């Protein structure tokens, strides 16, 4: 969690009691809301205890004066606040979160900032030790025996820990990164370009960021320790992106992007250096300019997918059709939206402009979008206009008030009209003008446009934009967005989506990880929900095929167990608790 400098609370002495630990001694129930428990016993004596044990307890805040434990302000009953409002001889205003150990003062209505050696710090440390007696941070196991461990907080690094927990459960990433680390050579077969000869490339050792990531993922899985320390990986991230230095509040989505981009850049550099050395040894490129040109040719035609693209890479295609001549154009880049509405737009991290594949070899036409003077290039497509804007799966419009991942994706992939200032500069209509001389002008027409997925990523990561600009400040959107455990992407894919088998009625992805942000912009905390599943088979020569077939059975009969992880604290939770959380990042793996 993160702390910020600010005024100190004046109520620490009167709002705490050093004898608190004696009151809690021998009581194993103090980590749950005692008032909710009493009400349940009075109102519903027939409720079975085993059902309750499967559910995650709500956020619990304990009074540092008397030890009363109550549910927080985001719960229905708000027993912690009601306890403070009950008259006492001394103020019972200081409470501590039993989830992330932050301290809050109801009188100040703010988080309490304290030194690491003072009266309050000592009390908090003792409470943590006491809590460990009843909720030990042992390395938990799913039904498959795969480990899930806590991660040490290095100083406001919960944003980092939450992402790493999700990556540690990305099975394809673990398998692929271990294979990459062991590779010392690479055979390049440029089948698409006969003029290029096959190359056997000797590879240098992986970059420090990639190597640190591999080490940490293996430590989380293999170590017998209950808590892993991600110090080396975080150090390497900070070296690549200085913005994460200084132990300040950071954003998990930005961290994920910088982390993946950093590993991707390292692998590209590693392979390119190997190709350069191989070309120099073969003496096929005599001068520097020719060497660069040949290297580019191999990059376009002969290289296998990069580590990051192999796991997370996909493509979005924008189709635009002139309403006048019915010519269609394609664009493979993700547009930047000015719409910040959480309900209307979602950013797909896995197919953004940093990861999307570039198709330079295509024949380009020109089009204008947003401002008439800005010219953008699109691919001309020879296709029956009647087949335009067809999707792989049937599209059903969401209910008007629906706020879900599906409704966001539906609106993101809706057909929109380009008109007036956004009109299309249609090269076909321009060429068809009778006057071809100097007096001919560009022809702008109304057009239809749709963004669809054209190549599916093995792992799909969705980012829900919860932080919005409001004037000069940034506010947080707390509206709940429903998300499915099994997501069908077929309605959001083009009818000619590349990596879909013929006859498949659906394109299914299974949820296995979530990053959650709780709290406010000024003081908040990142946690993770992860699903520990049986380990898939090791990578075969046919790549994803065997992996996907293994997961198909998992989708039809879901296996695995969900855990909620807050830094070092690991807690098993039910699916209903998972689906009620305020998701910020969602991690899905393809199963069909």
């Amino acid at each position: 969690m993160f702390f910020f400098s600010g005024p100190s609370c004046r109520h620490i002495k009167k709002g705490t009691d050093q004898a608190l630990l004696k009151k809690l001694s021998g009581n194993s129930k103090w980590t749950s809301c005692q008032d909710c428990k009493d009400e349940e016993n009075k109102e519903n004596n027939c409720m079975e205890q085993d059902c309750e044990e499967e559910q995650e307890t709500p956020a619990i805040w304990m009074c540092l004066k008397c030890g009363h434990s109550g549910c927080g302000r985001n719960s229905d009953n708000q027993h912690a606040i009601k306890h403070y409002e009950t008259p006492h001889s001394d103020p019972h205003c200081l409470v501590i979160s039993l989830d992330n150990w932050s301290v809050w003062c109801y009188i100040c209505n703010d988080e309490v900032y304290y030194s690491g050696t003072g009266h309050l710090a000592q009390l908090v440390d003792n409470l943590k030790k006491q809590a460990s007696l009843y909720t030990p941070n042992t390395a938990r196991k799913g039904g498959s025996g795969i480990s899930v461990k806590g991660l040490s907080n290095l100083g406001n690094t919960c944003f980092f820990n939450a992402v790493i927990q999700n990556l540690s459960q990305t099975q394809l990433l673990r398998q692929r990164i271990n294979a990459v680390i062991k590779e010392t050579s690479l055979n390049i077969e440029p089948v698409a370009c006969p003029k290029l000869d096959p190359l056997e490339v000797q590879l240098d050792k992986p970059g420090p960021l990639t190597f640190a990531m591999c080490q940490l993922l293996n430590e989380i899985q293999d170590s017998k320790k209950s808590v892993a320390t991600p110090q080396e990986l975080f150090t390497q991230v900070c070296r690549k992106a200085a913005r994460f230095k200084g132990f300040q509040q950071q954003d998990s989505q930005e961290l994920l992007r910088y982390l993946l981009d950093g590993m991707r850049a390292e692998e590209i550099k590693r392979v390119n250096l190997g190709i350069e050395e191989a070309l120099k040894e073969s003496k096929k490129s005599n001068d520097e300019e020719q060497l660069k040109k040949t290297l580019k040719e191999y990059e376009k035609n002969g290289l296998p997918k990069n580590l990051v693209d192999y796991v997370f890479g996909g493509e979005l295609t924008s189709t635009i059709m002139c309403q006048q001549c019915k010519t269609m154009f394609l664009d493979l880049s993700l547009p930047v939206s000015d719409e910040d509405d959480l309900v209307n737009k979602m950013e797909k991290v896995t197919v953004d402009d940093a990861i999307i594949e570039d198709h330079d070899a295509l024949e380009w036409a020109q089009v204008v979008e947003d401002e008439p003077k800005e010219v953008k290039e699109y691919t001309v497509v020879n296709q029956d206009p009647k087949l335009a804007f067809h999707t792989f799966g049937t599209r059903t419009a969401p209910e008007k008030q629906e706020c879900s991942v599906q409704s966001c994706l539906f609106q993101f992939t809706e057909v929109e009209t380009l008109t007036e200032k956004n009109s299309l500069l249609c090269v076909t209509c321009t060429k068809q003008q009778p006057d071809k001389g100097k007096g001919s002008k560009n022809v702008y027409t109304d057009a239809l446009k749709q963004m669809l997925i054209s190549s599916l990523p093995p792992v799909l990561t969705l980012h829900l934009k919860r932080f919005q600009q409001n004037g000069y400040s940034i506010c947080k959107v707390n509206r709940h967005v429903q998300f499915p455990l099994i997501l069908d992407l077929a309605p959001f894919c083009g009818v000619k989506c590349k990596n879909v088998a013929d006859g498949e009625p659906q394109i299914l992805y299974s949820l296995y990880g979530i990053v959650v942000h709780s709290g406010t912009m000024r003081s908040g905390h990142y946690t993770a929900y992860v699903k520990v599943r049986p380990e898939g088979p090791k990578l075969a020569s046919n790549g994803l095929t065997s992996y996907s077939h293994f997961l198909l059975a998992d989708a039809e009969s879901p296996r695995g167990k969900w855990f909620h992880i807050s830094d070092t604290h690991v807690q098993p939770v039910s699916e209903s608790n998972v689906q009620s959380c305020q998701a910020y990042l969602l991690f899905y793996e393809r199963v069909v």
Side-chain angles (χ1 to χ4, degrees):
M1 81 165 284
F2 22 82
F3 298 96
F4 301 90
S5 60
S8 61
C9 174
R10 300 177 181 178
H11 311 101
I12 292 177
K13 189 172 183 179
K14 287 189 176 182
T16 59
D17 184 358
Q18 285 297 316
L20 182 61
L21 290 172
K22 293 182 180 179
K23 299 177 183 179
L24 299 176
S25 180
N27 179 14
S28 62
K29 302 293 185 180
W30 63 276
T31 56
S32 59
C33 178
Q34 60 193 58
D35 294 329
C36 286
K37 198 77 173 177
D38 292 339
E39 289 178 7
E40 282 180 8
N41 291 335
K42 291 177 183 178
E43 298 175 7
N44 193 8
N45 291 325
C46 63
M47 182 178 290
E48 294 185 4
Q49 296 298 318
D50 57 348
C51 293
E52 180 188 342
E53 290 173 359
E54 292 180 358
Q55 297 182 353
E56 180 190 8
T57 56
I60 303 299
W61 294 82
M62 190 181 71
C63 175
L64 290 174
K65 187 70 175 180
C66 68
H68 172 274
S69 296
C71 49
R73 66 175 73 241
N74 292 325
S75 66
D76 293 333
N77 296 317
Q78 299 184 337
H79 284 132
I81 295 178
K82 290 178 181 177
H83 173 75
Y84 156 68
E85 293 173 343
T86 302
H88 299 92
S89 57
D90 289 321
H92 287 226
C93 59
L94 258 65
V95 289
I96 185 168
S97 167
L98 299 184
D99 179 41
N100 57 38
W101 303 106
S102 62
V103 178
W104 186 269
C105 177
Y106 286 125
I107 296 179
C108 298
N109 194 29
D110 201 356
E111 187 171 358
V112 177
Y113 311 103
Y114 56 93
S115 70
T117 57
H119 166 86
L120 184 55
Q122 183 179 359
L123 179 59
V124 172
D125 287 341
N126 290 333
L127 285 172
K128 288 181 180 179
K129 294 176 183 178
Q130 186 86 350
S132 67
L133 297 176
Y134 304 109
T135 55
N137 293 321
T138 54
R140 307 299 183 102
K141 300 280 186 178
S144 62
I146 299 173
S147 294
V148 53
K149 295 181 177 66
L151 291 175
S152 300
N153 192 310
L154 307 174
N156 296 340
T157 56
C158 59
F159 72 96
F160 172 79
N161 287 349
V163 169
I164 297 304
Q165 289 291 1
N166 281 271
L167 295 180
S168 74
Q169 297 303 325
T170 304
Q171 295 184 3
L172 186 59
L173 175 62
R174 293 203 312 265
Q175 293 182 12
R176 186 60 184 161
I177 199 170
N178 276 293
V180 166
I181 291 294
K182 295 175 182 177
E183 288 177 349
T184 58
S185 62
L186 180 66
N187 289 319
I188 299 177
E189 299 285 343
V191 179
C193 188
K195 67 178 182 179
L196 294 177
D197 295 328
L199 274 184
E200 183 175 352
V201 176
Q202 299 302 311
L203 297 176
D204 199 356
K205 62 182 180 180
L209 181 64
T210 305
F211 188 76
M213 170 62 80
C214 184
Q215 280 191 316
L216 180 59
L217 295 184
N218 289 335
E219 180 184 352
I220 291 173
Q221 291 301 314
D222 302 333
S223 173
K224 294 181 180 179
K225 295 180 180 178
S226 61
V227 175
T229 302
Q231 180 67 64
E232 179 58 26
L233 179 60
F234 187 69
T235 298
Q236 293 301 330
V237 169
C238 292
R239 288 176 179 172
K240 297 284 185 181
R243 66 187 303 156
F244 297 113
K245 293 180 180 179
F247 306 106
Q248 300 296 317
Q249 180 185 15
Q250 299 290 347
D251 181 77
S252 280
Q253 189 268 337
E254 289 186 359
L255 180 279
L256 176 63
R257 177 164 178 169
Y258 275 92
L259 181 57
L260 295 183
D261 284 354
M263 290 195 298
R264 188 176 191 268
E266 283 188 346
E267 279 301 290
I268 290 175
K269 182 179 179 181
R270 179 190 184 205
V271 172
N272 284 354
L273 287 175
I275 295 175
E276 285 184 18
E277 290 301 318
L279 290 175
K280 289 177 180 178
E281 290 180 7
S282 65
K283 298 181 180 179
K284 292 179 180 177
S285 299
N286 298 323
D287 59 79
E288 198 68 27
E289 286 300 319
Q290 181 61 34
L291 182 65
K292 290 180 180 179
K293 185 177 178 180
T294 307
L295 177 60
K296 285 290 183 183
E297 291 295 324
Y298 275 100
E299 288 177 0
K300 293 177 185 178
N301 299 291
L303 298 186
K305 278 193 174 182
N306 181 271
L307 162 66
V308 174
D309 294 341
Y310 186 90
V311 179
F312 299 96
E315 292 176 2
L316 284 175
T317 297
S318 175
T319 302
I320 299 179
M321 184 173 72
C322 173
Q323 289 286 70
Q324 186 168 311
C325 67
K326 304 303 180 184
T327 299
M328 284 187 288
F329 308 90
L330 292 185
D331 172 39
L332 291 174
S333 64
L334 182 68
V336 178
S337 171
D338 292 327
E339 179 60 67
D340 286 328
D341 187 353
L342 173 66
V343 183
N344 291 335
K345 296 292 182 182
M346 297 183 70
E347 179 183 348
K348 299 178 80 255
V349 177
T350 56
V351 287
D352 63 16
D353 55 354
I355 299 176
I356 201 164
E357 294 183 4
D358 187 16
H359 284 208
D360 293 329
L362 297 175
E363 180 184 356
W364 298 104
Q366 290 186 326
V367 99
V368 169
E369 185 179 10
D370 298 332
E371 294 293 337
K373 293 182 179 179
E374 288 186 13
V375 177
K376 194 170 186 179
E377 294 183 334
Y378 287 79
T379 309
V380 179
V381 179
N382 294 318
Q383 183 177 316
D384 186 350
K386 295 179 181 179
L387 299 178
F389 312 120
H390 282 208
T391 55
F392 188 87
T394 304
R395 290 171 67 85
T396 304
E399 296 293 330
K400 189 174 182 180
Q401 299 301 319
E402 181 178 341
C403 184
S404 66
V405 164
Q406 293 94 325
S407 67
C408 292
L409 286 171
F410 183 89
Q411 293 182 50
F412 181 79
T413 57
E414 271 191 308
V415 177
E416 53 184 310
T417 301
L418 303 179
T419 187
E420 297 180 355
K421 289 185 178 180
N422 294 326
S423 295
L424 171 74
L425 167 56
C426 181
V427 293
T428 302
C429 290
T430 299
K431 290 178 180 178
Q432 290 175 350
Q433 290 182 99
D435 183 10
K436 301 288 184 178
K438 295 181 180 180
S440 62
K441 296 181 180 179
N442 291 332
V443 176
Y444 296 92
T445 63
D446 290 348
L448 298 178
K449 175 182 177 181
Q450 186 178 34
M451 182 77 68
L452 292 172
I453 300 170
S454 55
S455 180
L456 294 159
V459 174
L460 173 73
T461 309
L462 300 176
H463 169 215
L464 282 72
K465 296 182 177 178
R466 292 201 174 275
F467 304 111
Q468 297 184 0
Q469 191 77 31
N470 185 10
Y472 292 103
S473 62
I474 298 177
C475 63
K476 183 185 175 186
V477 179
N478 287 311
R479 185 175 183 183
H480 180 69
V481 180
Q482 297 176 349
F483 50 88
L485 297 176
I486 301 294
L487 173 64
D488 183 8
L489 276 188
F492 318 112
C493 294
V495 69
K496 293 187 176 181
C497 192
K498 293 179 183 178
N499 44 358
V500 181
D502 293 335
E504 291 286 357
Q506 297 175 303
I507 301 172
L508 300 183
Y509 282 76
S510 178
L511 181 70
Y512 71 91
I514 309 170
V515 171
V516 176
H517 179 273
S518 58
T520 64
M521 286 295 299
R522 186 169 184 268
S523 177
H525 186 53
Y526 285 98
T527 60
Y529 288 87
V530 296
K531 185 179 182 182
V532 181
R533 297 94 63 217
E535 185 74 21
K538 299 301 180 183
L539 289 176
S541 57
N542 58 356
L544 288 176
T545 305
S546 61
Y547 187 75
S548 298
H549 283 194
F550 166 78
L551 289 174
L552 175 60
D554 199 32
E556 293 175 346
S557 178
R559 292 172 287 172
K561 187 168 182 59
W562 282 96
F563 290 87
H564 181 226
I565 311 173
S566 174
D567 290 330
T568 60
H569 186 72
V570 180
Q571 179 183 14
V573 293
S574 65
E575 283 187 350
S576 61
N577 289 126
V578 172
Q579 290 189 287
S580 65
C581 76
Q582 294 284 55
Y584 182 51
L585 298 176
L586 295 164
F587 289 74
Y588 286 89
E589 60 191 352
R590 188 178 174 187
V591 292
V592 176

